[in-house]
């Protein structure tokens, strides 16, 4: 396991935000955390990255753990070009860095934009740049906090698809936070549904079909979707 949480709870000013969370992040697997706004999803990512301490329970990390992060906002440096924004996360020999960055830019469909500045890119392109940066960083676990939330339907699915291809090639583990059922259905090996006030895992769903062969039109996935929807409406 890369990270294991055992009975992790967290309060802010005496108000419980997370209660007895148990999860295990295995190498190369994708966990989707799905829940309404305010359920404690970002807090849980912060606990996983140990930027926030749990009040009780244990956070056990493998000595091999190397984390990368993709935030809700793209968090690009406005004064740096696309390739500088990607390159600064690693100390790499310049020629090797150029070649590697360019191959990541190809994979996210940004070749030809390496010398552009963030303000010259659309929201979807900026988010593609931050995903390329996270993969270039080369962690074996990637935490993603609603990375596609501000994008329209088509862009979201394009990026979900690109993410699957990048993940298949690098095989890192991913914890993907979303409030979008379809993103969770397409990406998750395991989907954890969080309730609100306090955030508790109210359901765990495993999907065994490989991500690459999933379609939202599949009967089985549609049934799982209905199941999740019922659960989410129940916890609102
Ligand atoms: P989500 O990401 O699911 O929308 P968050 O983890 O951001 O939820 O927040 C869960 C709850 O914890 C919210 O009610 C939020 O206001 C509260 N909260 C989050 N971070 C802090 C903090 N640093 N101090 C106090 N309250 C916080
Ligand atoms: Mg959040």
């Amino acid at each position: 396991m890369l990270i294991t949480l055992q009975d992790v709870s967290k309060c802010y000013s005496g108000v419980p935000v997370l209660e007895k969370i148990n999860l295990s992040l295995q190498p190369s697997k994708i966990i989707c955390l799905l829940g309404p706004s305010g359920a404690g999803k970002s807090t849980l990512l912060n606990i996983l990255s140990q930027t926030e301490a749990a009040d009780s329970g244990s956070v056990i990390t493998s000595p091999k753990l190397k984390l990368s992060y993709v935030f809700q906002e793209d968090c690009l440096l406005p004064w740096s070009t696309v390739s500088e924004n990607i390159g600064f996360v690693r100390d790499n020999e310049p020629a090797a860095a150029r070649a590697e960055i360019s191959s990541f830019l190809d994979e996210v469909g940004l070749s030809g934009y390496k010398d552009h500045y963030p303000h010259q890119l659309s929201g979807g392109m900026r988010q593609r740049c931050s995903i390329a940066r996270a993969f270039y960083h080369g962690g074996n676990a990637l935490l993603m906090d609603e990375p596609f939330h501000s994008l329209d339907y088509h862009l979201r699915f394009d990026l979900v698809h690109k993410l699957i291809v990048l993940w298949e090639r690098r095989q890192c583990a991913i914890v993907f936070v979303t409030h979008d059922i379809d993103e969770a259905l397409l990406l998750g090996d395991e989907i954890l549904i969080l309730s609100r006030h306090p955030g508790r895992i109210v359901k765990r769903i495993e999907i065994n079909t490989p991500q690459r062969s999933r379609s939202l039109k599949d009967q089985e996935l549609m049934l799982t979707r209905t199941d999740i929807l019922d659960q989410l409406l129940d916890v609102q």
Side-chain angles (χ1 to χ4, degrees):
M1 293 303 161
L2 290 167
I3 314 177
T4 303
L5 301 189
Q6 283 172 350
D7 286 338
V8 160
S9 299
K10 175 82 185 168
C11 291
Y12 283 120
S13 317
V15 179
V17 172
L18 292 170
E19 198 174 83
K20 295 215 176 274
I21 302 289
N22 288 288
L23 70 80
S24 290
L25 184 61
Q26 296 177 51
S28 315
K29 293 288 181 191
I30 303 182
I31 293 181
C32 286
L33 292 174
L34 179 66
S37 182
K41 304 185 294 298
S42 297
T43 305
L44 189 43
L45 279 195
N46 293 339
I47 289 173
L48 287 168
S49 64
Q50 297 185 300
T51 51
E52 193 86 64
D55 293 341
S56 59
S58 20
V59 180
I60 304 154
T61 56
S62 152
K64 291 188 189 133
L65 177 69
K66 180 180 173 188
L67 279 176
S68 303
Y69 222 115
V70 175
F71 300 92
Q72 207 161 345
E73 310 307 330
D74 53 65
C75 296
L76 300 177
L77 305 171
W79 55 84
S80 297
T81 63
V82 163
S83 50
E84 287 164 354
N85 261 292
I86 295 174
F88 91 92
V89 297
R90 243 175 72 194
D91 193 14
N92 198 356
E93 186 271 312
R98 265 196 305 281
E100 214 180 320
I101 291 169
S102 165
S103 111
F104 277 107
L105 288 176
D106 277 348
E107 284 184 72
V108 297
L110 280 183
S111 45
Y113 292 91
K114 70 179 175 57
D115 296 323
H116 282 59
Y117 286 87
H119 75 271
Q120 298 172 301
L121 306 177
S122 67
M125 290 160 97
R126 286 199 294 271
Q127 209 47 297
R128 277 187 269 162
C129 181
S130 40
I131 291 170
R133 177 171 64 188
F135 277 92
Y136 177 72
H137 180 242
N140 52 10
L142 173 57
L143 306 181
M144 305 183 84
D145 194 356
E146 305 202 46
F148 309 146
H149 85 116
S150 58
L151 307 177
D152 68 38
Y153 198 79
H154 284 96
L155 273 177
R156 282 216 315 267
F157 286 103
D158 177 45
L159 283 186
V160 164
H161 192 70
K162 286 193 165 62
L163 176 60
I164 290 170
V165 175
L166 282 161
W167 166 78
E168 278 179 343
R169 288 189 189 152
R170 291 357 173 272
Q171 289 294 306
C172 55
I174 299 179
V175 180
F176 188 94
V177 162
T178 182
H179 57 249
D180 185 280
I181 301 177
D182 293 343
E183 287 178 3
L185 284 171
L186 290 171
L187 285 168
D189 289 300
E190 189 179 16
I191 301 175
L192 306 181
I193 303 181
L194 281 174
S195 64
R196 185 163 49 184
H197 304 313
R200 267 181 292 118
I201 297 175
V202 289
K203 197 170 175 84
R204 293 172 188 267
I205 295 168
E206 273 187 37
I207 303 184
N208 295 315
T209 318
Q211 282 76 353
R212 165 176 289 273
S213 347
R214 293 183 198 175
S215 156
L216 291 173
K217 294 182 195 156
D218 287 347
Q219 187 70 15
E220 211 177 322
L221 227 45
M222 277 167 74
L223 290 173
T224 310
R225 191 179 198 287
T226 311
D227 216 25
I228 294 177
L229 198 55
D230 285 343
Q231 191 73 50
L232 279 176
L233 293 174
D234 227 34
V235 301
Q236 285 290 334

